[in-house]
Amino acid sequence: MKIKIIQTSLLFLIGNVIYSQEPLSIVNSGTLSIAPESFISFNGTFENQVSGDVTNDGTVMYYHDFINDGGYGLTKGSTTSNTIFTVEGLPTTAKQIKGNEIASFYNVIFDSPVSKVAFDLKNNIDASGLVDFQNGIILVDSTYNPVTKVSHGMFTFKKGGKAQSMGDASHIQGAVEKIGNEVFIYPIGDSERYRPARISASKADGDVFLGQYVYNDAAFFKARTNTVGVIKAINDQEYWIIDKGNNEQSDVLLTLTWDESTTAANVLTNPEEELHIVRWDAKQQIWVDEGGVVDMSTKEVTTIGTVKGYGFFTLGTVKKDWILDGDIVIYNLVTPDGDGKNDYFIIDNIKNYPNNKVEIFNRWGARVYETRGYDPHGDGSTNVFRGYSEGKVTVDKGTKLSSGTYYYVITYEYTDSNGSRMIKKAANLHLETN
């Protein structure tokens, strides 16, 4: 049985509740508007046709498949829009979310007890509020249609969008887009394993970053075996994709986690001292060391990730003796108060390696200092970081930075019997300017 909302009809629901009492097919070809504080429930497949136009500023619950080929969204600036994708009884198949047009939501709840894939997403949807993954894995089917030249399947978090309640039984399997310059945790996983990635705020409001997690892809690593000399072992069980939406280069603080159930055991023998993030350099066709700060309490590794186009990241271990030979000594406290102690960022022995680069980032991943040939000349008189934003790509150039925890990346060229190599060191820097 079908219920059809005819074209040019206008339905306003103000403080009302509408339930369909049996599984029905609801077809909208006109205008459907759900007012704030209103609730409507569809106990059947909902189809919004090409001529249909839905505006949801209230609460809508979908028990069956959702098909959108028309206009579907909410009033600009609305924060009262809620959508619930759920099921009745004990279903055995995934709910279909599909169509040829983008559906825009604010707050969204996904709740289904279907094991493995509970929601099959075959169209583009976006959310600008809170997405609550109560129960059920969402499979993003990014199949490309060569006839329409449209790629179906994308879950986009717009500016202000965030996720909660993720776990092994409740996350997104496939590609997730994030728009906006905010810290974001990708609610991603694969093969019923939730394995998030976190990026810091980017420098532009409209930046687009895609994230995806892939588990147990042997062919991927078989085709990518080359490593730089400092890398000892690669985590060949999993990898993350962080993709910049265009070919412009962006630096973000990237955080990955490890888990004994998915991460290769050979990179977890001494994570506190050896574990780094590594990146596949497509141009050089080699895995390169990106450094990393390890947090044993949360099983996280954080580093600055340079993203331009597709970036493939995973975890790896480095050869400790290669890092320690000819080591520089880094003092991670800067107090530029003129007392002669830690008035600048002290890096002992850095002058022995003139081919060096020093970068400092704030906790949102914005570069606040950058220089090459860092050389304090023993008294800190030249080319050093004194707590001011400097360099070519900085925030508030020439102004005094506020007190807090920053993040440094030091890269320098070292030569010994093993040859010449670039060593990267990254960790936290504490700045006190008060």
Side-chain angles (χ1 to χ4, degrees), residues 340-360:
K341 298 178 181 179
N342 299 308
D343 283 339
Y344 62 94
F345 184 28
I346 301 172
I347 311 173
D348 281 348
N349 299 327
I350 191 69
K351 65 181 180 180
N352 296 330
Y353 310 99
N355 185 14
N356 68 67
K357 182 179 180 181
V358 176
E359 300 169 280
I360 298 173

Side-chain angles (χ1 to χ4, degrees), residues 254-289:
L254 172 65
T255 300
L256 303 180
T257 61
W258 72 86
D259 189 302
E260 288 79 4
S261 68
T262 62
T263 307
N266 64 326
V267 302
L268 296 179
T269 55
N270 187 10
E272 189 168 15
E273 296 187 18
E274 296 183 344
L275 199 59
H276 283 189
I277 291 175
V278 297
R279 174 180 58 86
W280 177 253
D281 189 312
K283 185 176 181 180
Q284 299 184 69
Q285 290 292 293
I286 198 167
W287 288 102
V288 297
D289 175 30

Side-chain angles (χ1 to χ4, degrees), residues 371-416:
T371 191
R372 293 183 181 274
Y374 194 91
D375 185 359
H377 288 186
D379 60 359
S381 59
T382 60
N383 201 21
V384 294
F385 174 66
R386 295 179 173 277
Y388 287 84
S389 180
E390 301 174 14
K392 295 180 179 179
V393 185
T394 61
V395 173
D396 298 329
K397 183 176 180 180
T399 61
K400 190 175 184 180
L401 297 168
S402 59
S403 297
T405 299
Y406 292 77
Y407 188 88
Y408 69 76
V409 178
I410 302 171
T411 308
Y412 59 99
E413 185 178 21
Y414 177 73
T415 303
D416 64 3

Side-chain angles (χ1 to χ4, degrees), residues 5-129:
I5 303 173
I6 63 172
Q7 189 171 3
T8 73
S9 66
L10 184 63
L11 178 60
F12 285 100
L13 303 175
I14 304 176
N16 296 322
V17 179
I18 290 183
Y19 296 94
S20 55
Q21 299 299 318
E22 56 181 298
L24 304 168
S25 179
I26 299 95
V27 179
N28 178 49
S29 59
T31 301
L32 175 62
S33 180
I34 300 95
E37 301 183 9
S38 297
F39 180 95
I40 183 169
S41 170
F42 293 113
N43 187 15
T45 295
F46 177 83
E47 179 182 356
N48 188 40
Q49 294 186 331
V50 174
S51 59
D53 188 7
V54 178
T55 301
N56 174 31
D57 293 328
T59 299
V60 180
M61 182 177 290
Y62 295 104
Y63 283 99
H64 290 272
D65 294 348
F66 174 90
I67 306 169
N68 180 51
D69 290 319
Y72 193 105
L74 58 152
T75 301
K76 185 177 181 180
S78 172
T79 59
T80 60
S81 177
N82 300 283
T83 304
I84 304 168
F85 291 102
T86 188
V87 294
E88 242 184 351
L90 296 173
T92 58
T93 59
K95 178 194 293 290
Q96 300 291 309
I97 303 174
K98 59 185 180 180
N100 294 312
E101 295 296 331
I102 296 175
S104 295
F105 306 99
Y106 189 70
N107 295 330
V108 190
I109 294 175
F110 292 94
D111 185 12
S112 171
V114 174
S115 61
K116 298 185 178 179
V117 175
F119 302 94
D120 189 3
L121 177 60
K122 285 184 167 67
N123 79 328
N124 292 6
I125 65 175
D126 62 47
S128 51

Side-chain angles (χ1 to χ4, degrees), residues 16 125 130 132 141 159 275 286 294 332 354:
N16 296 322
I125 65 175
L130 180 64
D132 190 352
D141 184 352
K159 183 174 175 60
L275 199 59
I286 198 167
V294 175
N332 67 344

